[in-house]
Amino acid sequence: MADDETPEGILLSGEENAAVRIKLERERRGWSTTALSDRLNEAGFEMNPSAVWRIENRKRRINLDEAIGFAEIFGVDLRNLAGPPQLAAKGRAMELIDKVVAAHQETQRAQHMFTRARDDFDAYIAEHPDIREEAEAMVSNAISESLMKMNAEIYGPPPGAQSDAEHADSAPDA
């Protein structure tokens, strides 16, 4: 493969990708280079329309402060601004990628918090073995109840299970 050939789907240059993404985002919004320049200037990122055009057409390099400005104006993460243009053209893909990454980060934080809480609990129980059995049962029951409630909210009641309202309606009168 010659050096000037660009393999599809490969991130070769964050700066080049940013140039493509800037043009895609601007055009998607129906903005001229002047309109984009005005928005950048209003946000405190000095840029004239000619500079926008030169960046988009790879006639001028983009510096970090400018990249931050473009990302802010477009409401995209700086990493995504420099990401592969074929994904940038699919705005929904970028939104979903951001959601997946954010959810993963939340999961990691929650896992870390759970591990710390469980370690603290285990250390306390080690110092108080007389309450181990009852405390472990309470933790297990509370987690089970929480999971059942969450699963019911997400997936609905399990097959054959009555809701509380149905159960109350079918209970025999005293």
Side-chain angles (χ1 to χ4, degrees):
M1 175 189 287
D3 288 340
D4 59 346
E5 292 180 39
T6 304
E8 201 169 314
I10 303 272
L11 175 62
L12 294 178
S13 165
E15 192 169 2
E16 188 171 319
N17 290 342
V20 172
R21 178 76 187 269
I22 289 164
K23 187 172 185 174
L24 287 169
E25 292 292 337
R26 180 183 61 76
E27 290 176 344
R28 198 171 91 193
R29 290 166 173 76
W31 296 347
S32 66
T33 55
T34 301
L36 177 53
S37 166
D38 290 345
R39 283 178 169 79
L40 287 163
N41 291 326
E42 289 168 11
F45 300 97
E46 295 300 316
M47 171 111 18
N48 63 47
S50 174
V52 171
W53 184 90
R54 289 192 324 267
I55 288 169
E56 288 181 353
N57 291 283
R58 295 174 208 79
K59 306 286 185 205
R60 174 186 179 287
R61 297 191 70 172
I62 183 171
N63 70 41
L64 181 58
D65 290 336
E66 293 166 343
I68 291 168
F70 283 113
E72 184 177 307
I73 295 301
F74 294 136
V76 300
D77 188 282
L78 187 57
R79 290 180 319 232
N80 292 342
L81 185 72
Q86 59 274 25
L87 286 178
K90 307 288 186 199
R92 181 70 175 140
M94 296 305 288
E95 291 171 14
L96 292 172
I97 288 167
D98 287 344
K99 282 180 78 171
V100 168
V101 170
H104 176 72
Q105 289 171 338
E106 286 179 42
T107 300
Q108 294 302 305
R109 276 192 287 277
Q111 182 63 42
H112 179 70
M113 287 174 48
F114 172 77
T115 299
R116 276 178 46 210
R118 185 64 207 208
D119 289 348
D120 291 346
F121 175 77
D122 290 343
Y124 184 83
I125 293 302
E127 294 173 7
H128 301 87
D130 55 312
I131 63 169
R132 175 180 296 281
E133 192 173 316
E134 293 86 0
E136 289 285 359
M138 286 184 70
V139 167
S140 293
N141 289 340
I143 289 174
S144 293
E145 280 183 35
S146 175
L147 283 173
M148 286 175 33
K149 182 178 178 183
M150 189 183 327
N151 284 337
E153 288 172 4
I154 294 170
Y155 304 110
Q162 289 182 320
S163 70
D164 289 341
E166 290 172 343
H167 187 68
D169 290 343
S170 65
D173 292 331

